[in-house]
């Protein structure tokens, strides 16, 4: 169907947000019509996807605060994972690598 529904961009955003762990979702996005790709909804979701997958935790939380209520509810499922990865990153950056025995 080539007809674009009034809320299609919003629902495409939800689809992207529900699949931040999937590379397939970005392949799907590449087939979106230009009107949908240029919407603020889809742009927001792509930014969330990029922040999550590039481990840009600061940006992810900034985007989380900027989202609509439903978008934030969807993103909430990723919060514990983002926090855990962020904490591991901080710990790894502030510790020295352990040396092997005798070294």
């Amino acid at each position: 169907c080539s007809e674009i529904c009034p809320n299609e961009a919003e629902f495409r955003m939800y689809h992207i947000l529900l699949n931040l762990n999937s590379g397939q979702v970005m392949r799907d996005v590449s087939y979106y019509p230009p009107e949908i790709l240029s919407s603020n909804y889809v742009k927001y979701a792509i930014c969330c996807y990029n922040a999550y997958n590039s481990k840009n935790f600061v940006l992810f939380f900034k985007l989380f605060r900027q989202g609509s209520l439903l978008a934030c509810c969807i993103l909430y499922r990723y919060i514990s994972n983002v926090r855990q990865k962020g904490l591991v990153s901080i710990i790894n950056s502030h510790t020295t690598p352990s040396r092997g025995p005798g070294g």
Side-chain angles (χ1 to χ4, degrees):
C1 180
S2 63
E3 182 180 338
I4 295 176
C5 300
N7 295 334
E8 184 173 348
E10 181 182 4
F11 282 89
R12 299 280 185 146
M13 172 188 71
Y14 299 142
H15 173 72
I16 296 166
L17 296 179
L18 285 166
N19 293 286
L20 294 184
N21 290 321
S22 168
Q24 177 62 41
V25 74
M26 292 315 285
R27 283 187 287 279
D28 295 344
V29 168
S30 69
Y31 294 107
Y32 288 179
E35 306 84 40
I36 299 297
L37 275 174
S38 63
S39 75
N40 288 333
Y41 289 114
V42 172
K43 287 179 182 177
Y44 171 79
I46 291 170
C47 287
C48 290
Y49 178 91
N50 290 333
Y52 181 79
N53 286 290
S54 66
K55 298 181 176 139
N56 188 339
F57 310 118
V58 174
L59 179 59
F60 183 85
F61 282 108
K62 282 182 183 178
L63 291 167
F64 179 79
R65 286 193 304 265
Q66 294 172 4
S68 66
L69 178 61
L70 186 51
C72 289
C73 289
I74 293 170
L75 288 173
Y76 187 76
R77 66 188 277 183
Y78 301 101
I79 293 295
S80 63
N81 185 273
V82 170
R83 284 182 177 157
Q84 179 185 10
K85 288 181 179 181
L87 185 58
V88 167
S89 179
I90 291 169
I91 290 169
N92 288 341
S93 69
H94 286 75
T95 58
T96 57
S98 60
R99 297 183 190 184

